[in-house]
Amino acid sequence: MALTLDVDADAWRAHLARVLERNPGLVPVIKGNGYGFGLTRLAAEASRLGVDTIAVGVRREVDVVRPYFSGDIHVLEPWHPRLAGDQVGESDPKIVRTLAHPEAVAIFSGTNYRAVVELRTSMRRHGLLQAPHAGRLRSLGWSLHLPLVGDPVEESREILKAHGITEGTVWLSHVQGDKLKALQKSVRSVKLRPRIGTALWLGDRKTFRARATVLDVHDVSRGDRVGYRQNHMLRNGYLIVVSGGTSHGIGLEAPKSVAGAIPRGKVFAAGALAAGGLSLSPFTIDGKHRWFAEPPHMQVSLVVLHEDETPPAIGDEVPVDVRMTTATFDRVTGF
Ligand SMILES: *Cc1c(COP(=O)(O)O)cnc(C)c1O
């Protein structure tokens, strides 16, 4: 009963090497669900790549990746005295903190602990509006977290100029490849460290694939009741039980912006179907996404097939389109 991620490890690693080559100073970002691969696996891959620093989202993740990576670990979440469960005086000298508030800068000043100072960008998530006098701070440079839209090169340039930053290191998010090259050209004596997660680990979708196992197959007739909710089957056909449920992140979708790219009519139609108890599943049988019979269960899902189709057999594997940043797999193969 497994949801499996199959990785073509050679091809995936070739992609990782290309990203490293195109992004000198790369800092791989390893956080959350480990982009579907898992935190420890990615930490081991970062060691293989030979980078000197990785970034994690939160302090707790340092302990998870530490056995697999011996270099510096940059914690992206800013340290703040009112949020920090841990104290400044912790022992790992290879942790690089992010400071994004004057009170945090004040506490770190005069200590031996290493940090980067985050400056406010148009993201407005964190970051200082005024670059502090980093004189007594053991600072490894400045940090910029840039939005995915807009011109990150221009914005970085403007921020560095506004703060009079002409040397040292700038840790950047969401500036990579040609944009990184262009920015490096215009800020010659600043050393850039691009922090990359998605484009690194998930940048070549052809190199990995998720599959589910068919666990059971039942003939059903129109009007039969099925599942926890005892929905009526709308047609004669088959009820297919597949591995993969809410505990694997199945059925979680990114919130969609109605004002954005998706036409309102389509959202309305999908909403109406969902209201009627139907939604399209990420499970593919014979090349087509299949309807859920009801919302996914903890570890399995129920999907329906029309009577004219040939049902899969128990033990068959079917492809699943999972969202890698919310997926948890039972198995990862290929390594
Ligand atoms: C998550 C995160 C990244 C990496 O983002 P990707 O889109 O996965 O490359 C970089 N910087 C910060 C501050 C982050 O929180």
Side-chain angles (χ1 to χ4, degrees), residues 46-283:
S47 293
R48 251 183 99 92
L49 276 174
V51 297
D52 62 3
T53 309
I54 59 175
V56 296
V58 296
R59 170 63 185 83
R60 181 181 46 77
E61 291 166 335
V62 173
D63 302 330
V64 180
V65 300
R66 177 48 86 209
Y68 302 86
F69 184 81
S70 57
D72 285 348
I73 303 179
H74 172 27
V75 182
L76 294 168
E77 180 181 64
W79 187 93
H80 188 279
R82 294 201 60 181
L83 302 175
D86 56 319
Q87 297 305 306
V88 192
E90 63 182 329
S91 57
D92 192 337
K94 289 186 166 177
I95 293 180
V96 180
R97 292 298 194 165
T98 302
L99 305 179
H101 305 86
E103 54 273 36
V105 171
I107 290 172
F108 271 66
S109 286
T111 72
N112 226 0
Y113 299 100
R114 299 182 309 158
V116 299
V117 176
E118 183 163 340
L119 299 172
R120 188 86 51 96
T121 68
S122 61
M123 280 276 287
R124 292 195 168 80
R125 186 158 93 178
H126 299 296
L128 289 154
L129 287 167
Q130 296 272 316
H133 294 290
R136 297 201 333 115
L137 201 60
R138 193 155 166 224
S139 171
L140 298 190
W142 309 97
S143 171
L144 297 180
H145 188 197
L146 294 148
L148 294 168
V149 298
D151 183 346
V153 175
E154 191 48 37
E155 184 172 351
S156 308
R157 245 188 235 130
E158 275 168 18
I159 293 172
L160 297 187
K161 194 167 155 209
H163 293 285
I165 296 167
T166 54
E167 56 185 17
T169 303
V170 174
W171 306 67
L172 285 165
S173 304
H174 302 128
V175 184
Q176 45 199 278
D178 292 340
K179 288 180 179 168
L180 181 70
K181 217 172 182 176
L183 181 60
Q184 185 65 76
K185 239 183 204 153
S186 68
V187 294
R188 283 182 185 287
S189 40
V190 173
K191 183 175 163 49
L192 299 178
R193 300 290 319 253
R195 299 177 294 212
I196 308 179
T198 306
L200 176 67
W201 310 117
L202 304 178
D204 189 353
R205 304 290 305 207
K206 296 186 305 299
T207 62
F208 53 87
R209 209 166 54 184
R211 67 186 150 100
T213 311
V214 173
L215 303 173
D216 223 328
V217 180
H218 307 292
D219 292 345
V220 283
S221 304
R222 183 188 153 93
D224 282 353
R225 289 170 168 269
V226 303
Y228 284 127
R229 290 166 196 241
Q230 292 288 286
N231 290 337
H232 292 280
M233 296 301 295
L234 297 174
R235 297 197 180 113
N236 296 341
Y238 304 95
L239 184 69
I240 316 291
V241 185
V242 282
S243 59
T246 52
S247 72
H248 302 93
I250 295 288
L252 293 177
E253 268 191 275
K256 291 190 173 82
S257 157
V258 176
I262 305 154
R264 279 163 199 267
K266 196 172 166 190
V267 171
F268 179 77
L273 283 170
L278 286 177
S279 57
L280 206 53
S281 84
F283 300 95

